[in-house]
Amino acid sequence: GGSRPFGATLESSDGIPAMLPRVRTIVFRSFLNAPTAPGAPSSKTETLEFITDRRSRKCNQLLEHSAAELSWYFPRTREQFRVAGQLKLVGADADEYGMGHMLEARLRRWKGGMSDNARAQFMWPEPAASREQLSDAAAQEEKDKTDFVPEPPLGPDSEPTDAFCLLLLEPSSVDHLVLKGFPQKRTLYKLGDDGEWSEQRVNP
């Protein structure tokens, strides 16, 4: 339908000396429903929620350089959103870096907002690590099954693995472009220091 995104990518610095950007394609899960601060009640926020593997390179990269921009295109309505902000990780050790109030949201996502196959990914071998290639096809198939199909399956009653993290994008600006119609319409939204959003129409 018209509300389904297409081509949602996340771009952030990868922490190398040249500061070259890196792009990842990710699945938007929901807007975060969680306390905004320790001791506060849970509430719906403007923070975009994703999941990621703590062992992946992007996690160490974003801890060094957390600024990022998400590009989102809706083909049916021909709308593009560019959402810039700061990334935050919520892992098993969230208490150690002041994000303990987000642990309930992490647990809720693991138990109620993912399929068994999605949970299984966090038991896979380390992402991007070198993989042994066996010459025997049957042996390779058996090894792949052993490495990538956890037994027993990780159902909703299981506990999150240490590799499982929430990845949160806290937006500070939005560039909204409507390609349908003539002329095209473009609007910029910015979050002020007072927590209020401003809106400005600009040329496409």
Side-chain angles (χ1 to χ4, degrees):
S3 62
R4 293 181 62 83
F6 179 81
T9 61
L10 191 67
E11 181 173 325
S12 63
S13 165
D14 70 352
I16 63 175
M19 295 292 287
L20 297 175
R22 290 292 182 264
V23 174
R24 273 86 174 187
T25 300
I26 55 178
V27 177
F28 170 67
R29 297 288 173 170
S30 69
F31 287 99
L32 180 69
N33 190 334
T36 56
S42 291
S43 60
K44 202 73 173 178
T45 71
E46 296 166 339
T47 298
L48 288 80
E49 181 183 330
F50 313 91
I51 60 174
T52 193
D53 193 314
R54 182 63 183 83
R55 301 167 297 170
S56 65
R57 287 179 293 180
K58 64 175 171 290
C59 289
N60 288 331
Q61 294 162 4
L62 70 88
L63 290 175
E64 294 292 330
H65 304 278
S66 61
E69 183 175 80
L70 180 143
S71 178
W72 220 343
Y73 181 63
F74 294 78
R76 182 159 299 184
T77 58
R78 298 184 63 194
E79 292 177 271
Q80 175 185 278
F81 293 84
R82 291 167 53 195
V83 183
Q86 296 292 318
L87 289 172
K88 291 185 176 179
L89 275 178
V90 182
D93 57 347
D95 274 325
E96 299 178 11
Y97 49 89
M99 294 288 286
H101 58 291
M102 294 292 184
L103 284 172
E104 183 179 344
R106 174 178 178 265
L107 183 63
R108 186 168 59 246
R109 173 59 57 193
W110 176 269
K111 289 184 173 293
M114 297 166 56
S115 66
D116 288 359
N117 286 338
R119 282 185 286 266
Q121 296 178 46
F122 296 95
M123 291 290 288
W124 288 359
E126 181 178 351
S130 178
R131 182 155 182 79
E132 179 183 8
Q133 186 68 37
L134 303 179
S135 57
D136 182 81
Q140 184 69 58
E141 183 178 354
E142 183 61 30
K143 178 174 175 54
D144 288 345
K145 182 177 179 181
T146 301
D147 288 350
F148 290 96
V149 183
E151 290 292 345
L154 293 176
D157 293 333
S158 64
E159 291 299 314
T161 68
D162 288 345
F164 174 69
C165 290
L166 289 186
L167 177 62
L168 307 177
L169 177 64
E170 297 182 342
S172 56
S173 67
V174 179
D175 187 335
H176 178 209
L177 178 63
V178 181
L179 297 169
K180 189 175 183 178
F182 182 83
Q184 298 171 358
K185 297 178 181 179
R186 185 180 180 189
T187 308
L188 303 182
Y189 302 88
K190 291 187 177 181
L191 183 64
D193 294 336
D194 58 358
E196 299 295 325
W197 286 89
S198 63
E199 176 181 342
Q200 181 182 8
R201 287 287 302 275
V202 297
N203 292 327

